[in-house]
Amino acid sequence: MNTNQLSKRLAMVARFVPKNTVLADIGSDHAYLPCYLMNKGVIQRAIAGEVVKGPFESAKRNVQANGFADRIEVRLANGLLAIENADEVETVTIAGMGGTLITSILKAGKERLLHVKRIIAQPNLHAIAIRQWAIENGFHLVDEEILEEDGKIYEILVLERGSAEYSPTDLLLGPILRQKSSPVFRAKWERETREWVRVLEALDKAEQTNEIRLKKQSIQTNYDLVRKVLAE
């Protein structure tokens, strides 16, 4: 992967970045995504935010090597603290983290989203946390994708401002992914339900404390929701 050839999952993220937008790529790592989008003429300018010194330095080198130092600013900052209101960022990308971490970043930096129209999140797991954050903070899902790369399954959530109501099933599986019901989507949830069966069997052998009973109930509820969708 480099600034001209992205991984499959990042290429999918790039597909959802609007033309001529001002981008903030949070956790930008090597700044591959903003450099790629600039090379393709998609974005006006970008902020590449990185909290770790090594990837921050790597991102700066990549931006300079591509000749974009005047249009992509690399900033060493934690999460959305990389964004200033004066930047007038319209699109935020956050990729390659867990859904819980992405949600905590969005919560901690909510005031930095003043001008943001679209958030593109690529959680490695627990996408439900991002969907829940969206409906609680004036965003809704306009698209979702799911893909497999190197044996791992990734979801991509595209959020824009607006309100929506989602059922527990839609929060868990994704309302748009559920409608598309792609082979990768079905494979992911077949895998998840098999794992839940294994966990439930293990919990049945444990001492039946209140905590264990609640955990079993939660897993069984999700299992039932997913099996119903897969049977459709």
Side-chain angles (χ1 to χ4, degrees), residues 102-116:
I102 291 175
T103 303
S104 69
I105 288 171
L106 293 171
K107 285 180 178 178
K110 186 183 174 183
E111 72 283 355
R112 306 288 174 128
L113 299 173
L114 181 64
H115 300 285
V116 172

Side-chain angles (χ1 to χ4, degrees), residues 25 27-30 48-53 55-56 74-78 82:
D25 185 37
S28 195
D29 203 0
H30 301 284
E50 180 54 58
V51 71
V52 181
K53 187 72 171 176
F56 165 76
V74 184
R75 295 178 181 168
L76 186 65
N78 188 4

Side-chain angles (χ1 to χ4, degrees), residues 202-213:
L203 291 175
D204 279 339
K205 298 173 184 176
E207 181 185 351
Q208 297 304 294
T209 63
N210 190 51
E211 182 182 0
I212 292 293
R213 283 192 293 271

Side-chain angles (χ1 to χ4, degrees), residues 45-65:
R45 51 191 172 84
I47 306 299
E50 180 54 58
V51 71
V52 181
K53 187 72 171 176
F56 165 76
E57 296 292 348
S58 176
K60 285 206 301 185
R61 287 193 296 271
N62 278 330
V63 168
Q64 291 167 356

Side-chain angles (χ1 to χ4, degrees), residues 152-196:
K152 296 180 181 179
I153 293 177
Y154 302 100
E155 294 180 38
I156 295 165
L157 283 57
V158 185
L159 311 176
E160 290 186 354
R161 293 192 181 274
S163 60
E165 292 184 6
Y166 301 122
S167 68
T169 305
D170 284 338
L171 283 172
L172 179 62
L173 281 75
I176 300 171
L177 291 178
R178 180 183 171 187
Q179 288 177 354
K180 294 178 179 178
S181 192
S182 71
V184 177
F185 170 84
R186 299 186 72 83
K188 170 189 169 68
W189 291 107
E190 289 285 2
R191 185 185 304 176
E192 288 287 342
T193 53
R194 287 196 299 271
E195 176 62 15
W196 287 339

Side-chain angles (χ1 to χ4, degrees), residues 71-228:
R71 297 174 69 189
I72 300 176
E73 185 174 350
V74 184
R75 295 178 181 168
L76 186 65
N78 188 4
L80 296 179
L81 293 179
I83 302 173
E84 300 293 341
N85 286 335
D87 298 324
E88 297 188 344
V89 167
E90 300 164 322
T91 303
V92 169
T93 50
I94 312 181
M97 309 175 202
T100 302
L101 177 55
I102 291 175
T103 303
S104 69
I105 288 171
L106 293 171
K107 285 180 178 178
K110 186 183 174 183
E111 72 283 355
R112 306 288 174 128
L113 299 173
L114 181 64
H115 300 285
V116 172
K117 301 173 182 176
R118 172 172 284 200
I119 299 170
I120 306 161
Q122 181 268 293
N124 293 344
L125 71 168
H126 206 56
I128 186 174
I130 300 170
R131 296 187 186 103
Q132 189 67 53
W133 177 89
I135 63 173
E136 292 170 357
N137 290 275
F139 283 84
H140 72 294
L141 289 152
V142 296
D143 211 340
E144 295 178 300
E145 277 296 346
I146 189 167
L147 61 103
E148 185 168 5
E149 183 173 30
D150 298 330
K152 296 180 181 179
I153 293 177
Y154 302 100
E155 294 180 38
I156 295 165
L157 283 57
V158 185
L159 311 176
E160 290 186 354
R161 293 192 181 274
S163 60
E165 292 184 6
Y166 301 122
S167 68
T169 305
D170 284 338
L171 283 172
L172 179 62
L173 281 75
I176 300 171
L177 291 178
R178 180 183 171 187
Q179 288 177 354
K180 294 178 179 178
S181 192
S182 71
V184 177
F185 170 84
R186 299 186 72 83
K188 170 189 169 68
W189 291 107
E190 289 285 2
R191 185 185 304 176
E192 288 287 342
T193 53
R194 287 196 299 271
E195 176 62 15
W196 287 339
V197 168
R198 187 194 66 78
V199 173
L200 285 170
E201 289 173 349
L203 291 175
D204 279 339
K205 298 173 184 176
E207 181 185 351
Q208 297 304 294
T209 63
N210 190 51
E211 182 182 0
I212 292 293
R213 283 192 293 271
L214 288 173
K215 187 171 184 179
K216 284 169 60 178
Q217 183 179 1
S218 175
I219 294 171
Q220 187 66 55
T221 298
N222 287 342
Y223 177 88
D224 292 341
L225 290 175
V226 173
R227 291 315 311 179
K228 184 177 179 181

Side-chain angles (χ1 to χ4, degrees), residues 26-38:
I26 305 303
S28 195
D29 203 0
H30 301 284
Y32 287 148
L33 180 61
C35 285
Y36 172 87
L37 291 166
M38 197 68 77

